Amino acid sequence: MSKPAFERLRQHEDKLDHCIRCGYCYEHCPIYKHTRWETDAPRAKLALCYGLLLGDLEPSDYIATKLQECFFCKRCETNC
């Protein structure tokens, strides 16, 4: 029996809804500070998750890589 697509991601959908896309998380993200690329910011990772959940984006190696490029320091979450 196959599991529904993005079951684990869908479990956190209510948390994704808390983000108002203000960008305050940028200044606390060590990866964004290093690269200065929008796609490395926490807000961009949330946008990718939404795109996957809504079916607007197809899963790809690029998206998987971007979502995994995180130190999981939770500075973005703490300062949200």
Side-chain angles (χ1 to χ4, degrees), residues 17-70:
D17 289 337
H18 285 50
C19 179
I20 60 169
R21 319 294 184 282
C22 67
Y24 185 65
C25 55
Y26 281 39
E27 66 185 81
H28 303 285
C29 177
I31 297 194
Y32 176 76
K33 281 183 176 181
H34 176 72
T35 66
R36 294 293 192 205
W37 284 94
E38 169 83 19
T39 55
D40 292 327
R43 179 171 71 175
K45 290 174 182 14
L46 291 177
L48 291 174
C49 289
Y50 264 117
L52 290 170
L53 283 173
L54 297 175
D56 294 338
L57 295 175
E58 290 291 323
S60 69
D61 288 340
Y62 176 79
I63 291 175
T65 299
K66 283 297 164 191
L67 292 178
Q68 292 173 5
E69 288 177 347
C70 179

